[in-house]
Each structure stands twice: as structure tokens, then as C-alpha cells.
């Protein structure tokens, strides 16, 4: 006979159903703890344990003094594929770019076909933020990630944004690897991608993304070659 799940696990499952059924989205605040207890018919200690479980799964986040919120990138951990345990970081970077070449040109093409004007304006704004950050000689990791994340959403495919952590990790590691020396290419490529999407030109959007990623890949291959004779991986490569 199968053992019954602990009440906290049952409550966590019910809380997920409540979130889905009521259409809560990332960043939204849930009712307070007392109301949730009344809705699900459990005590506060059980609810707190259920919330802790969901926080560990990046479904909820607790802001002390404010309340319980739906987490960003709901249900996706910072490192869902365990990249931190891959020893050969440089090979990891190369393979991540290869993965992006399989996915992101199609993402850009879909965005060009499906994006609405207000979404294109937001993409253009994010590209400008990335450009301004680069020209200010600041780390553009987040700005670059925001741009590519928006592209995934503009594709209209609900699965693609779930792959975001892998794409984001690739961007993060590449920026570390390149020491941000490849920034002008990023500015020009983002401009080309945005222009193609504004023109509703799926082929041009795909080509611009391929050009962008191939330049990244070629830079990495050159860097890998130059580092192959060194006894250790440089300290500036982080993941």
C-alpha cells in the first residue's frame, strides 16, 4: 500500500493548483498567509512548510515584511542543467553557442512573424539599454540577457522561454570569456535583429541571429586555440 504524502507536500500541490487556476503570473503577490490557510484548510505551520518547498523550487519567493510572491522564471532554477559541475568550462561555452545556433535563429524568425508593434518597441528599448550599458563600459550581462529573453517571449511559443536559463547561461559565460571585448559586434547585431523584426522579415531576422552567433562561435574558437597551450583556465572565466 502506497504511503500517503506528508500534509505539507499535499498543501504545496494544492497551492500550485490554486496559483494556476487563478491565473497568477510571475511577480504577482499572493493573498496573505492567513487567507491562504483558510482557502486550503490548513494551519500556519503546514502552510509555511509548503511555501518553503515551493520557494526551493523557484515557484514562490518570500519578501520579508511584504508577503509571498510568484517567483521570476517560475519553476526554473538558476542552473537547471547542472552546468556548474561541468569541468571543462571553455568546451561548455562552445557547446552552448552551438545549442543557441540550433534554437535562436528560429526564435528570431518567429518573433518577426508574430510580434506586435508594442512588443517590438519594448525589444528596441531593451536593445538600447544593452547598447547604453556597453558604451558606459559597464557589465552588460543582464541587459543582453533581457534582450534575448524578450525575443523568446515574442516568438509566441510557450516552451522557448522555459529554455531561457540555458540561453542566459551561455550569454553570461560568453561575456566572461570575451572580457567584454566583443561589444561592438553585440551592438551591431542587436540593431540588425531589431530592424528585421520591425520589418516583419523572418528570413532577415534569422540571418542576423545566425551572423551574431557565428561571430560569437568564431571568437570562442580562436580563444580556445590561444588558451589550449596554457596550463590552467583563466580566472576570468566564471559560470
Amino acid at each position: 500500500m502506497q504511503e500517503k504524502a506528508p500534509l505539507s507536500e499535499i498543501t504545496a500541490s494544492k497551492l500550485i493548483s490554486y496559483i494556476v487556476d487563478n491565473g497568477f503570473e510571475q511577480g504577482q503577490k499572493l493573498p496573505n498567509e492567513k487567507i491562504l490557510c483558510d482557502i486550503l484548510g490548513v494551519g500556519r505551520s503546514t502552510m509555511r512548510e509548503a511555501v518553503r518547498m515551493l520557494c526551493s523550487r523557484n515557484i514562490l519567493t518570500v519578501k520579508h515584511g511584504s508577503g509571498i510572491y510568484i517567483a521570476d522564471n517560475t519553476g526554473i532554477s538558476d542552473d537547471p542543467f547542472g552546468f556548474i559541475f561541468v569541468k571543462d568550462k571553455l568546451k561548455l561555452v562552445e557547446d552552448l553557442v552551438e545549442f543557441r545556433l540550433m534554437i535562436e535563429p528560429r526564435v528570431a524568425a518567429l518573433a518577426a512573424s508574430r510580434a506586435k508593434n508594442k512588443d517590438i518597441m519594448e525589444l528596441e528599448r531593451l536593445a538600447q539599454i544593452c547598447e547604453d550599458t556597453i558604451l558606459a563600459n559597464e557589465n552588460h550581462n543582464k541587459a543582453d540577457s533581457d534582450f534575448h529573453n524578450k525575443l523568446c517571449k515574442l516568438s509566441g511559443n510557450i516552451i522557448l522561454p522555459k529554455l531561457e536559463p540555458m540561453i542566459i547561461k551561455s550569454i553570461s559565460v560568453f561575456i566572461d570569456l570575451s572580457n567584454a571585448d566583443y561589444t561592438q559586434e553585440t551592438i551591431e547585431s542587436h540593431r540588425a535583429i531589431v530592424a528585421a523584426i520591425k520589418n516583419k522579415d523572418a528570413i532577415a531576422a534569422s540571418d542576423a541571429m545566425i551572423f551574431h552567433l557565428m561571430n560569437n562561435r568564431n571568437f570562442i574558437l580562436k580563444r580556445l586555440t590561444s588558451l589550449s597551450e596554457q596550463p590552467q583556465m583563466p580566472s576570468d572565466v566564471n559560470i
Side-chain angles (χ1 to χ4, degrees):
M1 181 172 158
Q2 189 173 2
E3 218 175 287
K4 188 176 180 180
L7 182 57
S8 56
E9 289 185 14
I10 295 171
T11 302
S13 296
K14 288 182 178 179
L15 187 50
I16 290 174
S17 296
Y18 170 77
I19 290 167
V20 173
D21 292 344
N22 288 275
F24 285 96
E25 298 180 353
Q26 62 181 27
Q28 278 191 285
K29 184 178 180 180
L30 292 182
N32 64 41
E33 185 183 84
K34 182 179 184 305
I35 293 174
L36 289 176
C37 287
D38 291 342
I39 290 170
L40 300 184
V42 296
R44 290 196 172 189
S45 60
T46 299
M47 179 58 66
R48 287 172 183 171
E49 182 58 31
V51 169
R52 275 195 291 268
M53 288 180 180
L54 297 184
C55 285
S56 70
R57 293 164 58 186
N58 199 48
I59 294 172
L60 298 178
T61 183
V62 175
K63 299 180 182 180
H64 296 291
S66 179
I68 305 168
Y69 293 80
I70 307 297
D72 292 337
N73 300 320
T74 314
I76 303 173
S77 68
D78 289 338
D79 186 22
F81 302 103
F83 289 151
I84 193 171
F85 298 106
V86 177
K87 186 175 181 180
D88 190 343
K89 304 302 186 191
L90 298 179
K91 180 64 165 62
L92 173 60
V93 175
E94 183 184 4
D95 287 353
L96 281 168
V97 174
E98 186 175 88
F99 170 80
R100 290 179 66 189
L101 273 166
M102 299 175 193
I103 301 295
E104 288 198 83
R106 181 59 179 161
V107 168
L110 288 172
S113 299
R114 298 174 176 175
K116 294 178 171 55
N117 288 336
K118 65 176 183 178
D119 295 320
I120 296 172
M121 289 175 62
E122 175 64 11
L123 183 69
E124 192 169 25
R125 185 185 73 84
L126 292 172
Q128 187 61 53
I129 290 173
C130 187
E131 182 171 332
D132 291 345
T133 305
I134 288 171
L135 295 177
N137 292 318
E138 298 173 359
N139 187 302
H140 64 286
N141 192 334
K142 183 180 184 303
D144 200 1
S145 299
D146 288 344
F147 176 82
H148 285 270
N149 180 42
K150 184 64 177 179
L151 270 177
C152 282
K153 291 178 179 177
L154 294 191
S155 72
N157 184 299
I158 64 172
I159 303 302
L160 288 170
K162 301 300 183 183
L163 297 176
E164 176 197 2
M166 182 177 288
I167 294 171
I168 297 305
K169 183 59 70 174
S170 175
I171 294 169
S172 172
V173 177
F174 176 73
I175 291 173
D176 286 339
L177 178 65
S178 66
N179 272 328
D181 290 334
Y182 218 56
T183 51
Q184 187 58 39
E185 192 282 332
T186 296
I187 290 173
E188 292 172 0
S189 290
H190 283 189
R191 287 177 179 174
I193 292 166
V194 171
I197 292 173
K198 285 179 74 173
N199 291 330
K200 307 292 186 181
D201 191 334
I203 294 175
S206 177
D207 287 348
M209 182 62 77
I210 290 171
F211 182 80
H212 178 42
L213 296 176
M214 284 302 298
N215 279 335
N216 286 356
R217 183 177 181 276
N218 291 339
F219 181 89
I220 288 171
L221 289 175
K222 289 179 183 177
R223 187 72 185 272
L224 284 168
T225 301
S226 68
L227 292 171
S228 62
E229 298 178 357
Q230 297 183 16
Q232 293 182 347
M233 187 180 74
S235 59
D236 66 314
V237 179
N238 298 310
I239 187 167

